[in-house]
Amino acid sequence: MKALIAFIGMALVIIVLIEINERIKAKKAKGERLEAKEDCQKENSEQEDCSGCGLINVCDKEEKKKTGR
């Protein structure tokens, strides 16, 4: 019985650690996308178009957030 409780506890700890790791990865990826977008905007400041950098989806999502659509 104690072994079963210990096994369940260990499984819960592993699940929590996996979730924390995924959240950390998501935050890092978001920061990298923002840096890439800023670089793109600096390069294309005249055009204000991110399609040349392959970040058009990021730009579209941010435009939708700003306009509330």
Side-chain angles (χ1 to χ4, degrees):
M1 186 66 173
K2 289 181 183 179
L4 179 62
I5 293 171
F7 181 75
I8 292 171
M10 185 178 61
L12 290 175
V13 169
I14 291 172
I15 290 171
V16 169
L17 290 174
I18 290 172
E19 182 64 28
I20 291 170
N21 189 31
E22 291 296 322
R23 290 182 185 193
I24 291 170
K25 284 182 184 178
K27 284 183 183 179
K28 286 182 182 178
K30 183 178 180 182
E32 290 173 2
R33 283 193 310 261
L34 290 176
E35 290 174 5
K37 183 179 179 230
E38 289 172 358
D39 292 341
C40 176
Q41 287 178 344
K42 287 178 185 175
E43 292 173 6
N44 297 325
S45 61
E46 300 150 2
Q47 303 170 1
E48 294 184 16
D49 182 21
C50 294
S51 60
C53 299
L55 295 172
I56 191 70
N57 294 333
V58 175
C59 294
D60 289 342
K61 287 180 184 178
E62 287 189 3
E63 286 178 13
K64 288 179 183 178
K65 287 181 185 177
K66 288 179 184 176
T67 58
R69 293 181 188 174

